[in-house]
Amino acid sequence: MKFDWKSVIKSYAIIALGSVIYALGFDLFYAPNDVALGGITGLAQVINHVIPALPVGILTIAMNIPLFLLGWKYIGFKLLAGSLVSMLVGSTAIDVIAANFTFAPMDPMLAALCGGAVMGLGIGMVFTQGASTGGTDIVARLLRLKMPWLPLGKLMMLPDGIVLTSAVFAFGKLETGLYGLAALFVCTRVMDTVLYGMDTSKIAYIVSEKWQEMSRTLLELPRGVTLLQGQGAYTGKETKILMLAFKQKEIVRIKRVVHQVDPEAFMMVCNANEVLGLGFGEYKKEDMGNG
């Protein structure tokens, strides 16, 4: 099988760009406004605050070494290679940008919100290529091997929360941690949006006495319908439950169809972070915890 150099170059270019965006978000919004950052970079920020002679970028690289060794062992070389590029580019960019540009402080809440969005975009871009920015991102991926049903953004909040708490004591200001928490929330939401898409998928469960007509009408949309066997707890009557997955933009049309066929139908709609298969997303090896 011929090696696809173009695909590899494109992937590493996205990783590098995402890492630079990540670094810019830190230098522009976090550092000059004392907004705490989670992860290894945040821990380096705390150490730098105590010992200013130690640059954030160099500290980040040094503390990432043991985590990368764990990532290599449990997740695989592909993650390690991409993450090494991301960590080196991002950490170097943080020190280079800080050495050549001075950014004026701004309103801390504005910095937290904008910084979280920018860094979430950068991290999300890196994650789309099956890589990581290092630090607690690798910890989150390791945790996902045990809890694959949880989005990466939520898994990152545990170790990041510990670092944010440390920042509060180091900076001596509760506001530093609170702004950091707000930034972390925005960061994880933007990152999950980049990873899973703006158009979140939904799953609907429909209970109707007109289930046959309902399923035929829904299949004409077209949307696949699965029939589940159900039974009323009170009446004991057996019935069919319709289950279907659809895109967020289709919800109005789905609800209209259900109401037109059976105004008395019971319909429950749930969020689905990932729907894989025909008409939806594709399976990716790195997202299934395989090295």
Side-chain angles (χ1 to χ4, degrees), residues 40-100:
I40 294 300
T41 306
L43 187 56
Q45 179 189 21
V46 171
I47 297 174
N48 173 260
H49 180 77
V50 178
I51 311 175
L54 297 176
V56 173
I58 293 177
L59 282 170
T60 301
I61 293 174
M63 291 187 290
N64 263 299
I65 292 175
L67 289 175
F68 273 101
L69 292 176
L70 284 174
W72 189 355
K73 179 178 180 180
Y74 292 105
I75 305 175
F77 178 76
K78 183 178 180 180
L79 172 69
L80 179 69
S83 299
L84 274 173
V85 171
S86 176
M87 186 266 292
L88 291 173
V89 171
S91 299
T92 302
I94 286 176
D95 287 347
V96 170
I97 293 173
N100 291 277

Side-chain angles (χ1 to χ4, degrees), residues 160-204:
D160 283 346
I162 296 174
V163 175
L164 288 179
T165 302
S166 302
V168 171
F169 291 100
F171 284 85
K173 295 189 297 184
L174 179 61
E175 293 88 346
T176 295
L178 294 177
Y179 288 134
L181 188 62
L184 176 61
F185 176 78
V186 174
C187 178
T188 54
R189 292 302 296 267
V190 172
M191 189 190 73
D192 283 342
T193 299
V194 174
L195 283 172
Y196 307 121
M198 290 286 291
D199 193 14
T200 306
S201 297
K202 302 283 186 179
I203 294 179

